[in-house]
Amino acid sequence: MLFMVQMQVNIPASLDKNIADALKKEEKEMSQKLQREGKWRDLWRVVGQYANVSIFNVSGNEELHQLLISLPLYPYMTVSVTPLTQHPSAIAQVE
Protein backbone atom coordinates (compact mmCIF):
# COMPACT_ATOMS: atom_id res chain seq x y z
CA MET A 1 0.00 0.00 0.00
CA LEU A 2 1.11 3.51 -0.73
CA PHE A 3 0.93 6.28 1.85
CA MET A 4 1.79 9.97 1.67
CA VAL A 5 3.36 10.95 4.98
CA GLN A 6 3.99 14.55 5.95
CA MET A 7 6.52 15.01 8.76
CA GLN A 8 7.19 18.28 10.56
CA VAL A 9 10.22 18.08 12.86
CA ASN A 10 10.26 20.24 15.99
CA ILE A 11 13.45 19.61 17.95
CA PRO A 12 13.35 21.75 21.10
CA ALA A 13 16.10 24.36 21.36
CA SER A 14 16.76 23.04 24.88
CA LEU A 15 17.84 19.61 23.57
CA ASP A 16 21.61 19.16 23.88
CA LYS A 17 23.26 19.79 20.48
CA ASN A 18 25.25 16.54 20.64
CA ILE A 19 22.08 14.53 21.26
CA ALA A 20 20.25 16.33 18.44
CA ASP A 21 23.14 15.74 16.05
CA ALA A 22 23.28 12.03 16.96
CA LEU A 23 19.52 11.68 16.39
CA LYS A 24 19.78 13.40 13.00
CA LYS A 25 22.61 11.06 11.97
CA GLU A 26 20.60 7.98 13.03
CA GLU A 27 17.54 9.33 11.21
CA LYS A 28 19.51 9.81 7.98
CA GLU A 29 20.96 6.30 8.17
CA MET A 30 17.56 4.74 8.82
CA SER A 31 15.80 6.72 6.09
CA GLN A 32 18.44 5.73 3.55
CA LYS A 33 18.21 2.06 4.57
CA LEU A 34 14.41 2.15 4.13
CA GLN A 35 14.84 3.86 0.76
CA ARG A 36 17.25 1.15 -0.40
CA GLU A 37 14.69 -1.47 0.70
CA GLY A 38 11.99 0.27 -1.38
CA LYS A 39 9.75 1.02 1.62
CA TRP A 40 10.48 4.77 1.65
CA ARG A 41 9.91 5.41 -2.07
CA ASP A 42 10.18 9.20 -2.22
CA LEU A 43 11.51 11.84 0.14
CA TRP A 44 10.92 15.53 -0.58
CA ARG A 45 11.96 18.50 1.53
CA VAL A 46 9.40 21.22 2.18
CA VAL A 47 11.20 24.44 1.31
CA GLY A 48 11.77 26.76 4.23
CA GLN A 49 10.73 24.24 6.88
CA TYR A 50 12.26 21.36 8.80
CA ALA A 51 9.68 19.13 7.16
CA ASN A 52 9.24 16.58 4.41
CA VAL A 53 6.62 14.89 2.28
CA SER A 54 7.32 11.22 1.69
CA ILE A 55 5.76 8.29 -0.13
CA PHE A 56 5.96 4.93 1.62
CA ASN A 57 5.25 1.56 0.01
CA VAL A 58 4.48 -0.89 2.82
CA SER A 59 2.15 -3.82 3.47
CA GLY A 60 -0.39 -1.77 5.41
CA ASN A 61 -1.25 0.48 8.33
CA GLU A 62 0.52 -1.54 11.00
CA GLU A 63 3.83 -1.76 9.12
CA LEU A 64 3.75 1.98 8.45
CA HIS A 65 2.92 2.73 12.08
CA GLN A 66 5.78 0.56 13.38
CA LEU A 67 8.19 2.10 10.88
CA LEU A 68 7.24 5.67 11.79
CA ILE A 69 7.43 5.20 15.56
CA SER A 70 10.87 3.61 15.17
CA LEU A 71 12.31 6.75 13.54
CA PRO A 72 14.86 8.39 15.86
CA LEU A 73 13.27 11.83 15.44
CA TYR A 74 9.69 10.54 15.85
CA PRO A 75 9.31 11.96 19.40
CA TYR A 76 9.88 15.42 17.88
CA MET A 77 7.60 15.02 14.85
CA THR A 78 4.09 15.97 13.93
CA VAL A 79 3.00 13.33 11.39
CA SER A 80 0.10 13.28 8.96
CA VAL A 81 -0.69 10.10 6.97
CA THR A 82 -2.82 9.84 3.84
CA PRO A 83 -3.48 6.46 2.16
CA LEU A 84 -3.10 6.58 -1.64
CA THR A 85 -4.54 4.60 -4.52
CA GLN A 86 -3.91 4.62 -8.27
CA HIS A 87 -5.77 7.39 -10.13
CA PRO A 88 -7.68 6.03 -13.12
CA SER A 89 -6.18 8.70 -15.43
CA ALA A 90 -2.57 7.96 -14.43
CA ILE A 91 -0.36 6.77 -17.27
CA ALA A 92 2.26 5.18 -15.01
CA GLN A 93 1.05 2.13 -13.15
CA VAL A 94 1.97 1.77 -9.49
CA GLU A 95 3.63 -1.49 -8.51
Side-chain angles (χ1 to χ4, degrees):
M1 291 183 67
L2 294 178
F3 294 90
M4 177 181 69
V5 179
Q6 296 172 281
M7 296 177 239
Q8 176 75 45
V9 182
N10 301 296
I11 299 174
S14 60
L15 187 66
D16 181 88
K17 183 185 180 326
N18 292 327
I19 294 172
D21 289 346
L23 287 171
K24 290 175 192 176
K25 182 177 185 250
E26 290 174 36
E27 184 85 13
K28 181 177 183 177
E29 290 168 359
M30 185 170 182
S31 73
Q32 290 179 346
K33 175 184 178 287
L34 291 167
Q35 288 172 72
R36 284 189 288 278
E37 292 173 357
K39 294 180 187 232
W40 198 324
R41 279 186 32 164
D42 295 290
L43 174 56
W44 297 94
R45 172 171 286 160
V46 177
V47 176
Q49 299 179 37
Y50 193 173
N52 73 73
V53 174
S54 296
I55 304 297
F56 285 84
N57 188 7
V58 294
S59 63
N61 295 336
E62 185 61 27
E63 182 181 9
L64 180 63
H65 178 73
Q66 291 303 320
L67 187 153
L68 292 173
I69 66 171
S70 70
L71 294 173
L73 289 174
Y74 180 78
Y76 307 104
M77 289 182 186
T78 301
V79 178
S80 173
V81 176
T82 305
L84 301 174
T85 191
Q86 181 76 39
H87 192 285
S89 298
I91 294 172
Q93 294 299 306
V94 176
E95 297 176 21

